[in-house]
């Protein structure tokens, strides 16, 4: 059948390549996600092509047309091509086989498009668009499943997931992205084969988890990871929350955490805002913010349940899990810091804070302040509207005070009245731990009292240093 796509949604390069391969007597088809997106009415991006031409033939065909080519993926049948500002990949039809104990396939080139499509993960990604004729090739019902909102594999789900266990996470991710359901056999296979995910590298698991968290409906994907048992292997801290009742006994902490994540997502702003959407750091911190509760649960004599210091414990747990998943250090630090700070606000409405306490709140949050605002507000899931409104008013007041102090003192760039070089000159000391202690003393003084000026700061520093020498 000839697909009925908007011409404006098809990249001109795809049509040019189709004409080029046809003139040389070879087949070429746009394949996978770009075809799915065209059917859904959006523009095809990240173009992937498949062909019956060998890698060497692809290089020969495109040599004069392309601005640059590279063959780093030649062994797997893939040739990279750059034309203008665009980069695409063209892969020879494949008919791979897999070792059950390894993710690495035994590469075998195929000779027809249908076999190539059969080896792909899901039917919604197992469609192709022949070029330049725009003939849709859909042998496994991808358009049917798109219309029904179903995640289904082209062949037996068990075989597909055995070939590449990461496809189980991809199933959850696509369910989260498109808000689709899993076919029964796909769900059952994921549940029966969850342990197979252990042969997948931490880096690949991390990348799929990140995409899931950034999807339109991450709650659906996380629920699937829990219900199939995959989370027990990749993110065990989250299913552990299902065992914990919160202080109010009206919901388990797992459901609370998902609600907090959704409420945090609702507070993300657009690309020009303070927290552009989608924001992984905010979303993952919201999901993990109470992960320290199982380790800190205590039944009090009055019958209540407490989770003392679960914020600090949770930050440590979060760091450990993210390191195991090979996240970069900056992302780990940011997420863990939000988890550690998410309880800092509570008590503000009852006791009130001094200006120095507000300064410390801002200083400790640093460049995470806007995310902390959103996480703290999202953490209110009580059904008691009076209580929720009271907390919201208190946080409104805190944000107002932060803005007022920021206007006065430029909190985000706050520094002591004296820098490290001045400290060393005044005290006659060399670089070392003593300089850091003096700097911290001056910073705390600045936070507590505001700017003092160089002269007063120098006098205070000398007095403090004299005390240090006396007591040492």
């Amino acid at each position: 059948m000839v697909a009925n796509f908007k011409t404006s949604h098809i990249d001109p390069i795809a049509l040019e390549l189709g004409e080029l391969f046809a003139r040389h007597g070879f087949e070429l088809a746009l394949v996978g996600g770009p075809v799915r997106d065209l059917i859904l009415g959006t523009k095809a991006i990240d173009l992937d092509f498949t062909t019956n031409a060998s890698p060497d033939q692809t290089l020969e065909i495109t040599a004069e047309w392309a601005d640059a080519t590279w063959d780093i993926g030649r062994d797997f049948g893939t040739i990279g091509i750059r034309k203008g500002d665009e980069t695409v990949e063209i892969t020879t039809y494949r008919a791979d086989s897999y070792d059950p104990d390894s993710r690495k396939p035994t590469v075998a080139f195929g000779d027809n498009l249908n076999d190539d499509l059969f080896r792909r993960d899901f039917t919604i990604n197992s469609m192709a668009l022949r070029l330049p004729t725009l003939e849709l090739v859909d042998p496994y019902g991808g358009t049917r499943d798109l219309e029904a909102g179903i995640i289904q594999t082209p062949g037996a789900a068990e075989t597909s997931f055995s070939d590449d266990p990461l496809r189980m996470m991809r199933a959850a991710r696509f369910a989260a992205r498109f808000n689709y359901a899993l076919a029964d056999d796909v769900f059952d296979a994921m549940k029966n084969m969850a342990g197979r995910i252990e042969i997948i590298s931490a880096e690949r698991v991390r990348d799929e988890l990140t995409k899931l968290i950034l999807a339109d409906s991450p709650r659906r994907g996380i629920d699937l990871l829990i219900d199939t048992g995959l989370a027990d292997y990749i993110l065990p801290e989250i299913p552990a929350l299902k065992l914990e009742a919160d202080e109010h006994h009206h919901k388990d902490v797992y459901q609370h955490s998902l609600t907090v994540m959704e409420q945090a997502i609702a507070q993300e702003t657009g690309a020009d805002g303070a927290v552009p959407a989608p924001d992984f750091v905010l979303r993952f911190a919201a999901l993990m913010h109470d992960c320290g509760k199982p380790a800190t649960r205590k039944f009090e004599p009055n019958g209540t349940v407490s989770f003392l210091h679960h914020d600090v414990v949770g930050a440590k747990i979060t760091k450990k899990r993210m390191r195991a998943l090979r996240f970069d250090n900056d992302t780990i630090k940011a997420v863990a810091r939000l988890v550690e700070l998410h309880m800092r606000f509570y008590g503000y409405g009852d006791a009130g804070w001094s200006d120095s306490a507000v300064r410390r709140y801002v200083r400790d949050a640093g460049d995470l302040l806007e995310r902390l605002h959103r996480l703290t507000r999202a953490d209110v899931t009580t059904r008691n509207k009076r209580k929720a409104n009271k907390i919201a008013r208190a946080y409104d007041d805190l944000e107002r005070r932060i803005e007022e102090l920021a206007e006065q003192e430029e909190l985000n760039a706050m520094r002591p009245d004296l820098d490290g070089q001045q400290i060393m000159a005044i005290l006659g000391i060399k670089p070392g731990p003593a300089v850091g202690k003096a700097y911290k003393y001056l910073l705390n003084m600045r936070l507590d009292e505001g700017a003092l000026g160089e002269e007063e700061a120098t006098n205070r520093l000398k007095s403090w240093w004299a005390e240090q020498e006396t007591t040492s």
Side-chain angles (χ1 to χ4, degrees), residues 161-386:
F161 296 156
S162 179
D163 287 348
D164 184 0
L166 191 67
R167 289 173 175 173
M168 294 186 287
M169 287 192 66
R170 285 171 60 82
R173 193 244 295 181
F174 280 117
R177 177 178 175 183
F178 297 112
N179 201 23
Y180 284 1
L182 300 187
D184 289 343
D185 62 324
V186 170
F187 178 87
D188 291 342
M190 290 169 64
K191 194 169 185 178
N192 294 332
M193 303 174 66
R196 287 274 294 164
I197 198 68
E198 290 188 303
I199 74 169
I200 300 298
S201 70
E203 290 82 1
R204 295 185 72 214
V205 169
R206 173 202 64 209
D207 290 347
E208 276 301 321
L209 179 62
T210 299
K211 292 175 183 177
L212 188 156
I213 296 296
L214 294 175
D216 289 344
S217 304
R219 182 176 194 141
R220 176 180 286 273
I222 294 164
D223 275 337
L224 286 171
L225 295 181
I226 299 292
D227 294 342
T228 59
L230 279 165
D232 293 336
Y233 297 94
I234 63 173
L235 202 60
E237 295 79 10
I238 301 306
L241 298 178
K242 296 185 72 127
L243 304 177
E244 304 298 327
D246 73 359
E247 301 92 320
H248 312 291
H249 302 286
H250 67 265
K251 53 187 175 301
D252 64 44
V253 180
Y254 170 70
Q255 292 298 331
H256 164 76
S257 297
L258 291 184
T259 299
V260 171
M261 181 181 65
E262 288 186 319
Q263 293 185 168
I265 291 170
Q267 295 182 63
E268 291 174 340
T269 50
D272 297 330
V275 182
D279 186 82
F280 176 81
V281 169
L282 175 62
R283 294 182 180 202
F284 200 58
L287 179 64
M288 298 291 286
H289 79 284
D290 276 347
C291 69
K293 283 190 171 180
T296 58
R297 181 176 62 169
K298 181 180 179 181
F299 295 97
E300 302 292 350
N302 63 1
T304 62
V305 181
S306 67
F307 302 97
L308 190 63
H309 303 310
H310 76 271
D311 44 355
V312 177
V313 173
K316 292 179 180 178
I317 292 172
T318 298
K319 284 182 181 178
K320 183 177 180 181
R321 176 53 51 196
M322 293 184 73
R323 284 174 183 149
L325 289 171
R326 304 292 193 271
F327 279 93
D328 64 275
N329 287 334
D330 289 343
T331 303
I332 293 172
K333 289 178 182 178
V335 174
R337 188 60 167 159
L338 285 174
V339 172
E340 182 180 1
L341 293 175
H342 83 273
M343 293 293 293
R344 182 72 66 86
F345 160 75
Y346 291 95
Y348 174 85
D350 297 327
W353 285 359
S354 64
D355 284 352
S356 63
V358 176
R359 293 188 190 101
R360 289 176 189 275
Y361 187 78
V362 174
R363 183 197 68 178
D364 291 347
D367 59 6
L368 296 171
L369 182 62
E370 290 295 337
R371 290 186 176 104
L372 182 59
H373 286 335
R374 287 156 176 76
L375 176 59
T376 303
R377 290 184 181 277
D379 197 19
V380 181
T381 61
T382 178
R383 297 172 185 171
N384 185 324
K385 291 185 178 180
R386 183 176 179 182

Side-chain angles (χ1 to χ4, degrees), residues 417-419 422 426 451-461:
D417 295 283
L418 303 173
D419 62 23
Q422 291 172 304
I426 292 168
L452 299 175
E454 287 189 21
E455 183 177 353
E456 179 64 17
T458 299
N459 293 334
R460 298 275 194 98
L461 177 62

